[in-house]
């Protein structure tokens, strides 16, 4: 039995003010190619399909299209759960219909989890849930931490587990010892967010989402697939992949990792301004990658971001690293975290983050006129 | 062939600050009873399933449940389109899967409309679309008004219409001469929002949504079902129903209207305060209905809303009608449009209207502390 384990698609993700939808489509097209080639018995998506509970319309359309191509056109069963970024209820809409076509989407945790049987393997779906949700659902006042909650849910699953068949748990959790990065939302403050890997001992394979690196933990049977692509500069050095699992009837498995190629990579470079602007340097670079640039120059620089953008159009973050001559201490000075936006652009971004309505031409014109008035007034002072 | 025509469910509707979800569930339970009894060949929902493009989670869950009961449990085909209140793209998610189970949901208009055949009748689905959308989709610069747009779309449908079979158009539009009310959102300003009834001449029956009264227009073949329930006091005197259509093979039909009973009615009453508070009056009243009360008293009144709420817990709107002694002119003085809300409640309402995130206990506490500080400061001045 063969399945592909992926997760953390984060459709609708905004990175440094930039929508990643085009990049995500590029990667997902490759993913569909992989599914067509490998013809797995199932595709497992371990949560965070969307980046937020109300994703932008483009993300909704992209997910609909991609899942349709996998499930209906390629006739491949899908097993998917909600992650902490998804809205369990919104994602659940329609799931009763999807089941007819072997698309098993579990948004909300229930107190009576039922495994999905696909080609001899039992998939146990544990969507992300807050400890409070589990406490309420299982009427168990002793549940306070994520560890308590996962233990309670797995305890319930184990009541009816058939140990003579391969069992795969699909979950979205922070396993202790895992390496974190900036784009994973903290599950809770103070360490109670993590769960211990031994909770999953009863399962032949645990397909996890949440941590974005496929190498976040080293465990024989408990694995992260890693996110679809890099979503923050703290992931710049991570590899990004999906896992192809071939499982025998006794639950042992072979795992292969398949790398997906982003349209533009997310990388960090460092150097002196003059050096970075020198053709002999940048001609060897993929200059349209998403870049974090650290400038090593000491003195004053005139419009470094403007000059860099001429060569590297997608600088998302610019920092200066200045060595204090007397103390030899290093200081980071952030010069431009995001490109300089006009007041109108800033408002539009704010509006889109705070509401789900479209920022129509009428609205844009109304706000533009207010901003104009204010700027004129300020100019007159 | 028998189908039930309904529309304008507006799930997630907020009336004078009050969520109608419980009332909607009450009515929809009756509707499901009707479907079970009538066993129609299809249920037709003519748009505005939701009240807004991003409905609250409770509305999403209610729609999912109700459609599942009709379509899967009662095994009844559903034909539904997006209205002007729905998000075409968000509503469309998953529709490719629903079709497998004869649930035909069309969120977005396409340039190649395909009829749905159910038991000898062709259903032509025309979801709500702005004229600009039709202009772009059909690459026709002459489309400016809703009339132009509907004419263009119907022209396309007529190219492949089989006039020897019954044809039903399902649309969401404002037909000229229709009576409007407060809770229908204007399609456009200046009259270009309406379409003429003769556009629908080629169809045996046109199942419309948008206007909330089943009596909004008098036409032999072009009909509104009316909304599920009353959504504003301007609808207080409207009857609310769904239409049961039995259609012969030649396209002629018999129509019956079936009234649904709301949990609480929405009504207007008027009188002097003393009279309204007199048991001999209110004992005959259904005092927990949603009420707009007009007080006819002349002089000053002490806390009328507080007194009225003791008897009528669901006063949503209170007005005073004062006859000016000298001029005999009538003035309306609105005393309490909504109940007096605390700063925290007002903020919560604002937050829920502007965002889709939950107003969690943490957020509530943070805001409460800010409000406390401000009030203390103001008190200290």
């Amino acid at each position: 039995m063969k399945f592909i384990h992926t997760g953390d698609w984060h459709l609708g993700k905004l990175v440094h003010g930039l929508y990643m939808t085009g990049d995500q489509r590029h990667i997902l097209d490759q993913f569909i190619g992989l599914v067509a080639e490998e013809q797995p018995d199932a595709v497992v998506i371990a949560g965070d399909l969307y980046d937020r509970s109300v994703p932008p319309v483009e993300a909704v359309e992209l997910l609909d299209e991609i899942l349709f191509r996998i499930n209906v056109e390629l006739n491949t069963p899908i097993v998917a759960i909600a992650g902490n970024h998804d809205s369990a209820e919104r994602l659940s809409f329609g799931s009763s219909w999807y089941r007819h076509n072997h698309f098993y989407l579990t948004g909300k945790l229930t107190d009576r989890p039922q495994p999905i049987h696909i080609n001899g393997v039992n998939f146990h779906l544990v969507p992300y849930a807050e400890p409070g949700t589990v406490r309420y659902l299982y009427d168990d006042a002793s549940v306070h931490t994520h560890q308590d909650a996962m233990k309670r849910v797995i305890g319930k699953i184990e009541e009816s587990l058939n140990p003579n068949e391969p069992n795969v748990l699909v979950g979205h959790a922070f396993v202790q010892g895992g390496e974190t990065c900036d784009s994973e939302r903290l599950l809770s403050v103070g360490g109670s967010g993590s769960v211990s890997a031994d909770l999953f001992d009863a399962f032949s394979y645990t397909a996890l989402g949440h941590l974005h690196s496929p190498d976040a933990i080293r465990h024989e049977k408990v694995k992260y697939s890693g996110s679809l692509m890099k979503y923050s500069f703290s992931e710049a050095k991570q590899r990004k992949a999906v896992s192809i699992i071939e499982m025998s009837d006794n639950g042992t498995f072979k795992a292969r990792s398949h790398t997906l190629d982003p349209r533009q990579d997310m990388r960090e470079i460092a150097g002196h301004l003059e050096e970075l602007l020198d053709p002999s340097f940048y001609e060897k670079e993929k200059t349209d990658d998403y870049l974090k640039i650290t400038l090593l120059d000491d003195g004053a620089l005139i419009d470094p971001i403007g000059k860099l953008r001429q060569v590297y159009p997608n600088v998302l973050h610019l920092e200066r690293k200045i060595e204090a001559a007397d103390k030899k201490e290093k200081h980071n000075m952030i010069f431009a975290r995001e490109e300089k936006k006009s007041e109108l652009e800033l408002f539009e971004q704010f509006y889109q983050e705070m509401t789900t309505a479209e920022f129509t031409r009428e609205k844009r014109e109304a706000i533009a006129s207010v901003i104009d008035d204010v700027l004129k007034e300020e100019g007159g002072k």
Side-chain angles (χ1 to χ4, degrees), chain A:
Chain A
M1 195 276 183
K2 176 157 78 172
F3 63 92
I4 300 183
H5 167 202
T6 175
D8 294 279
W9 288 7
H10 289 272
L11 301 191
K13 176 82 179 175
L14 202 61
V15 177
H16 290 263
L18 211 72
Y19 272 111
M20 292 282 123
T21 315
D23 302 80
Q24 289 167 326
R25 176 181 290 281
H26 175 90
I27 289 275
L28 286 169
D29 280 341
Q30 283 176 49
F31 182 68
I32 286 170
L34 180 71
V35 175
E37 196 185 302
E38 292 283 345
Q39 302 192 6
D41 297 292
V43 165
V44 173
I45 314 172
D48 286 355
L49 283 76
Y50 290 125
D51 192 56
R52 34 181 160 148
S53 60
V54 180
V57 161
E58 293 71 25
V60 173
E61 293 192 286
L62 180 59
L63 186 65
D64 187 54
E65 178 199 319
I66 296 297
L67 296 180
F68 181 77
R69 287 166 68 189
I70 296 172
N71 181 236
V72 179
E73 291 183 3
L74 294 176
N75 204 17
T76 309
I78 298 177
V79 173
I81 59 168
N84 59 312
H85 281 249
D86 300 304
S87 160
E89 297 85 1
R90 293 183 195 279
L91 198 64
S92 295
F93 190 95
S95 51
S96 317
W97 286 271
Y98 307 149
R99 297 178 72 89
H100 286 280
N101 212 56
H102 304 290
F103 167 19
Y104 304 96
L105 175 63
T106 303
K108 288 172 81 170
L109 190 72
T110 72
D111 57 345
R112 282 171 299 179
Q114 295 289 332
I116 310 295
H117 308 276
I118 302 176
N119 208 359
V121 173
N122 304 315
F123 287 90
H124 303 270
L125 277 63
V126 183
Y128 176 78
E130 296 285 339
T133 306
V134 176
R135 186 165 60 238
Y136 173 77
L137 203 59
Y138 287 78
D139 196 16
D140 180 348
S142 75
V143 171
H144 292 287
T145 63
H146 277 276
Q147 170 79 11
D148 301 339
M150 187 61 87
K151 196 172 175 179
R152 192 71 182 76
V153 174
I154 288 180
K156 185 74 188 176
I157 290 173
E158 285 178 339
E159 284 174 16
S160 55
L161 196 78
N162 182 347
N164 300 318
E165 291 175 354
N167 289 290
V168 172
L169 185 136
V170 183
H172 192 88
F174 175 19
V175 172
Q176 266 157 39
E179 279 171 37
T180 63
C181 67
D182 289 351
S183 56
E184 299 140 3
R185 196 179 284 164
L186 270 184
L187 292 189
S188 43
V189 179
S192 67
S194 67
V195 303
S196 57
D198 57 11
L199 288 182
F200 306 109
D201 279 352
F203 301 92
S204 320
Y205 181 92
T206 296
L208 288 174
H210 185 56
L211 298 185
H212 283 196
S213 164
D215 309 308
I217 50 168
R218 301 280 175 193
H219 192 285
E220 206 185 318
K221 301 191 302 173
V222 178
K223 308 273 188 185
Y224 288 97
S225 62
S227 60
L228 198 60
M229 45 185 283
K230 297 175 184 175
Y231 286 123
S232 72
F233 285 106
S234 65
E235 300 172 44
K237 292 193 175 63
Q238 289 178 5
R239 65 191 183 92
K240 293 296 173 184
V242 298
S243 308
I244 304 166
I245 312 296
E246 291 176 80
M247 190 165 272
S248 314
D249 293 348
N250 63 2
T252 60
F253 62 88
K254 281 190 298 180
R256 278 181 290 143
S257 195
H258 181 94
T259 304
L260 301 171
D261 292 320
R263 191 169 64 171
Q264 285 145 255
D265 198 7
M266 188 173 279
R267 295 187 295 119
E268 300 181 338
I269 56 176
H272 291 82
L273 183 59
E274 203 177 325
E275 175 192 5
L276 298 178
L277 298 178
D278 186 339
S280 70
F281 176 80
Y282 69 71
E283 274 166 1
K284 285 171 279 176
E285 291 280 315
K286 216 167 151 285
T287 52
D288 66 345
D289 278 351
Y290 297 122
L291 295 178
K292 171 180 169 181
I293 295 182
T294 304
L295 289 177
L296 305 176
D297 304 79
D298 268 340
L301 293 172
I302 297 162
D303 190 23
I305 182 74
K307 289 175 181 163
L308 286 166
R309 281 259 162 78
Q310 300 278 334
V311 175
Y312 310 96
N314 296 312
V315 182
L316 297 184
H317 188 106
L318 178 63
E319 277 189 14
R320 292 191 63 176
K321 188 170 264 182
I322 298 177
E323 301 232 2
D326 49 347
K327 284 193 164 179
K328 291 284 178 203
E329 272 178 22
K330 285 179 184 175
H331 297 274
N332 282 324
M333 257 177 74
I334 292 167
F335 261 59
R337 260 209 297 229
E338 290 186 22
E339 63 186 296
K340 174 98 174 101
K341 287 199 164 59
S342 72
E343 285 78 2
L344 185 60
E345 287 168 332
L346 279 172
F347 183 85
E348 179 168 359
Q349 188 183 338
F350 173 74
Y351 188 89
Q352 284 168 344
E353 285 176 12
M354 295 308 289
T355 77
T356 52
E358 198 191 342
F359 194 59
T360 58
R361 212 182 55 182
E362 287 93 321
K363 291 176 190 168
R364 179 190 304 276
E365 282 166 5
I367 292 298
S369 118
V370 171
I371 291 173
D372 271 0
D373 289 352
V374 172
L375 291 180
K376 260 181 230 151
E377 248 175 59
E378 285 189 343
K381 269 179 197 165

